[in-house]
Amino acid sequence: MSAPTAPLAVAGALLATLALPPVARPLEASMAGHMAVQIPLLVLCGVIAFAAVPAAARRRLAAWDPRGLAGLGVALTAMAFWMLPRSLDAALTEPHMEIAKFVTVPLLWGLPLAWSWSRLGLIGRGFVAAHLVGLAWVLGWFYLNAPARLCSNYLLDQQHDLGRAFLAYGTAAAVAALVRLLGGAPRPVGAGALEWDRKHVLGNH
Amino acid sequence: MRAVLATAAVLVAGPAVLWQATDGLRAFTTEGARRVAVAAAPRPLPAATLQDQDGRPLGIGDYAGTVVLVDFIYTRCPTVCTRLTDTMREVAAALPADSLGRRVHLLSISFDAANDTPEALRDYAAAQGADPRSWRFARMPDADEQAALLKAFGIVAVPDGMGGYVHNAAVHVVDAEGRLAAVHDFDDVAGIVAGLEGRS
């Protein structure tokens, strides 16, 4: 069965829109617009595009990365790179870094993240979710309290705005995870428990 | 086996990428990166015609053969420039009398050419008690040359929305060959003086 092409079209359209100077410049004018809006939307481009990856390619990928750990490593590396203040500054001042951002964030962050999420079990997903929530809170606190500017191109006030945005994101993600946990199907008691664990906890696809 | 290989490759490549991107975990910010880069390899500077507080043309090349301490300011700055200027004054006071004005010069460059006219620079210099024989104040009248010089030094001045600027602050050492050779914290008087002892 061929993969749907609609997600690719949607991801491409979103990416093209984000790359338009009248859209990109205002977003990049503020630190929160850059880090808390533009980059997450670029990640979303990759996540959406993943739905267009054909089944045959997924099978080949699964042979190399059955539990999504390698993909998770790629996504976390890309995330760490683009969290560096110097990377953010460079994207504003060096055209090749701006292009690199628009290419690598969807391809090396969004797409591998979606892949890994599809392969991870409950433990893996819980680890990723807890990591991201914790990271958002720690970074939020850090940006709100750091006495010096971290990015040469942004003001301290903008850094504080980003801190508040990260705290809000972390809180929203924590609430969403909690709702999901409370609203999900409970682990069955008795004979079905092991099968449930295999499917949900271990992520045995 | 393939899964182990793929995961191991990512576990090696990921940290390697981040190691490279942070100069060995030494520089996470642009300011840190320029200090590491300058310390590793002195940086040539582009020619730029400045204008000093007396309205005379001045170039960093005019100081060839001597060491120049350079800072970037604007005279209306109420915060960090004041501290930078204090540091320059304290360094000048700490240098041997036979060094200042001969082997070592001080140069404060304004990136606010529109407001920092020669008269404004002269008033500012006088208020600091700067000796014009060893410490000049200048602006960059040509916008393109200013942009090139600021980029070479790694100075970013961002309008603060209130008519002023927010900018990275440091004391820069330009060596006898006219290259940017070191970048010091703006309040590190002892470090600047110690660094000069090996150069002048």
Side-chain angles (χ1 to χ4, degrees), chain A residues 45-118:
Chain A
C45 288
V47 170
I48 294 171
F50 175 69
V53 175
R58 294 188 192 207
R59 278 194 297 276
R60 281 196 296 276
L61 205 54
W64 284 92
D65 190 23
R67 298 202 179 277
L69 294 179
L72 186 60
V74 171
L76 291 180
T77 300
M79 183 180 80
F81 180 88
W82 287 109
M83 287 286 190
L84 292 172
R86 63 185 285 186
S87 300
L88 214 61
D89 269 332
L92 294 172
T93 55
E94 307 292 340
H96 72 278
M97 285 295 284
E98 177 74 342
I99 293 168
K101 181 182 70 182
F102 275 87
V103 172
T104 62
V105 172
L107 285 183
L108 298 180
W109 183 350
L111 214 114
L113 187 65
W115 160 254
S116 294
W117 195 258
S118 75

Side-chain angles (χ1 to χ4, degrees), chain B residues 17-178:
Chain B
V17 166
L18 296 176
W19 179 268
Q20 184 71 23
T22 57
D23 292 311
L25 302 182
R26 289 178 298 164
F28 297 84
T29 63
T30 305
E31 180 64 13
R34 78 168 178 134
R35 294 182 184 208
V36 169
V38 166
R43 187 181 290 179
L45 297 169
T49 303
L50 312 179
Q51 183 182 37
D52 74 6
Q53 71 261 46
D54 296 321
R56 292 178 304 195
L58 176 71
I60 291 180
D62 296 347
Y63 292 100
T66 70
V67 174
V68 195
L69 291 183
V70 179
D71 68 349
F72 289 86
I73 59 163
Y74 67 105
T75 61
R76 294 174 300 127
C77 177
T79 54
V80 71
C81 302
T82 310
R83 185 69 190 96
L84 257 177
T85 303
D86 288 346
T87 295
M88 294 285 266
R89 189 190 310 105
E90 289 166 26
V91 169
L95 288 174
D98 63 344
S99 177
L100 190 64
R102 294 183 177 88
R103 294 192 294 273
V104 179
H105 291 86
L106 277 58
L107 178 60
S108 293
I109 303 177
S110 167
F111 46 74
D112 184 13
N115 290 294
D116 286 339
T117 60
E119 294 74 26
L121 291 170
R122 196 159 53 237
D123 291 345
Y124 188 78
Q128 310 309 322
D131 180 348
R133 290 169 299 181
S134 57
W135 187 359
R136 308 297 293 170
F137 291 75
R139 66 173 182 167
M140 298 175 275
D142 185 289
D144 291 338
E145 286 188 350
Q146 167 165 308
L149 195 65
L150 292 180
K151 186 174 174 64
F153 271 94
I155 299 296
V156 180
V158 185
D160 65 3
M162 294 177 290
Y165 297 91
V166 173
H167 57 101
N168 47 336
V171 175
H172 309 81
V173 179
V174 175
D175 65 14
E177 286 77 45

